[in-house]
Each structure stands twice: as structure tokens, then as C-alpha cells.
Amino acid sequence: TVTFTVTDGSGNTATTSATFTIEDTTAPTALTQDITIQLDASGDATITASQVDNTSVDACGGVSLSVSQTAFDCSHVGTNTVTLTVTDDCGNTSTDEATVTVQDVTAPVAVAQNITIQLDSDGNASTTAAAVDNGSSDACGVTTLGLSKTAFTCADLGNNTVTLTVTDPSNNSTTTTATVTVEDNVDPVITLAAADETVECDGSGNTAQFAAWLSNHGGSTATDACGPLTWTHNSTGLSDLCGATGAETVTFTVTDGSGNTATTSATFTIEDT
């Protein structure tokens, strides 16, 4: 506000006042830039307005900045449009949009456990990645579990090292190993039982005939998916008969490579007719 004074030659005066006003009605110039951010291990990320700002300006001085969204999580992976608001000292505002690209670059935490599986009667067994998994996790979730080997046979008896692969929605993956122990708990199958055999006394204990009967495990046969099969018997021999008549009941035992067994019994008889 200015007071104007007019004075004549004799020193007489008069005054009048008026106001000179400077107004700022011009909005700032809002300028933005696209940015890329990464989620942390907890699946969270934040930004500030200054990160999106690209030197927004105003002719009359400073500006304040705000952005429509500052917090991001797994649900925002990908591109997100945000609005930057620029305000000058006189309250004039302008806005501009920017793209915030959210990335998940954190690999899952892979946790595995050792397991034991049994072969079936055909010598086969299988497992799944879920069976080996022991609580693998990712802030954004686990989409797939993969296992390097799921099918096993007799050739895999014992300990087998397998690799578990854990993948999240952004295709980050982590691997860990576990041991799959394959067991064969299936007994051999007697396909033909041992048969009794009766022979005529030859006066010498029928040694050759008895030995042949024993070595042929009484004519019995067996099968097993894994093998190999080993035959044993509990015979004490017929030597005490001294060539006379008599009989012995023998139990034949077949054992596979894992120690599973099956038995069959028969009697060898020497008679004198």
C-alpha cells in the first residue's frame, strides 16, 4: 500500500493511498520420471515423491511434492501408475503421472527333508517334490516345487541324493538337496513249493540222490523283483541212517538281496520195499 503526497509552492499538501498487488496464479510445472524398485525379503518396498520427481519447477520459488502411492507389496509386482502432485508457495498445484515398476528379485527359501520309500512287488517306487519339501517359503508365495528324480527301481536301493527346486511367481528359484532312501521290504514269492521225494534204499544212504534233491531245493522255485535269490536249507544229513531207511523234513529258505525271505518244506524219505 503506497501513500502519494502532492505539495504546492506554499507548502500545502494533500494525500491519497492505493495498493499495488502481485499475484501468483500460475501453477508449477510438474515433471516426473519412471522408476524401478525391488521388494525386500519381506515382500515390501516404499518410495518417496522425490524419487518420482524430475526437477519440477515454479517461477516464484520452491515447491512441495507428494505422490499418490508410496507403499508396495507382492500384489504390485509389475507396472504401477502413480500421480505426483507439485504445490508452490501460493498453493497452486499441478500433477503428472509416472510408472513405478516393482520387481521381486528375492529367491525363495528352500527347505528339504530326507525321506524313506519302499519298492512295491514289481520293484518300483515313486515320490513327489511335496514329500521332500519341508516348509519352503517365499514372501510372494511358492508357485512350483520340482524334484530332480521321482521314480526309483531296484537299481536305486539305498541312499539317493535328489535336488529340490523351489520357484516363486517371479521365476526366482532356489535349490537344496535331500536323501531319498529306497528300501525293499517285499519277500520273495515261492512259485513252486518244495516236493516230497521217496527213494528206494540203496544201502549207501542214497547220498547222491539226497544231495541232488537238496541242491535243487526240493524242486521249488521262487521269484523276486530285485533279487538276486539265494537258497539255503536246514538239513543235518542222512548219514546217521547208515544206508538204512528213514526220512528227514527239510525247510528251504530263499533270500533276496535285501534280506527278505520265504520258506517251503518237504520230506526226503528212504524206504525199503
Side-chain angles (χ1 to χ4, degrees), residues 218-252:
S220 59
T221 58
T223 59
D224 186 84
C226 290
L229 297 179
T230 303
W231 287 89
T232 58
H233 59 76
N234 66 345
S235 173
T236 59
L238 292 173
S239 59
D240 58 322
L241 296 179
C242 299
T245 59
E248 182 182 43
T249 298
V250 178
T251 297
F252 297 95

Side-chain angles (χ1 to χ4, degrees), residues 31 74 190 215:
L31 298 173
C74 295
I190 300 291
S215 65

Side-chain angles (χ1 to χ4, degrees), residues 26 34 52 70 96 100 116 121 144 156 175 184 204 208 214:
T26 302
D34 298 335
V52 177
T70 59
D96 193 18
V100 177
T116 299
S121 58
T144 60
D156 302 306
T175 62
D184 172 18
S204 300
L214 289 177

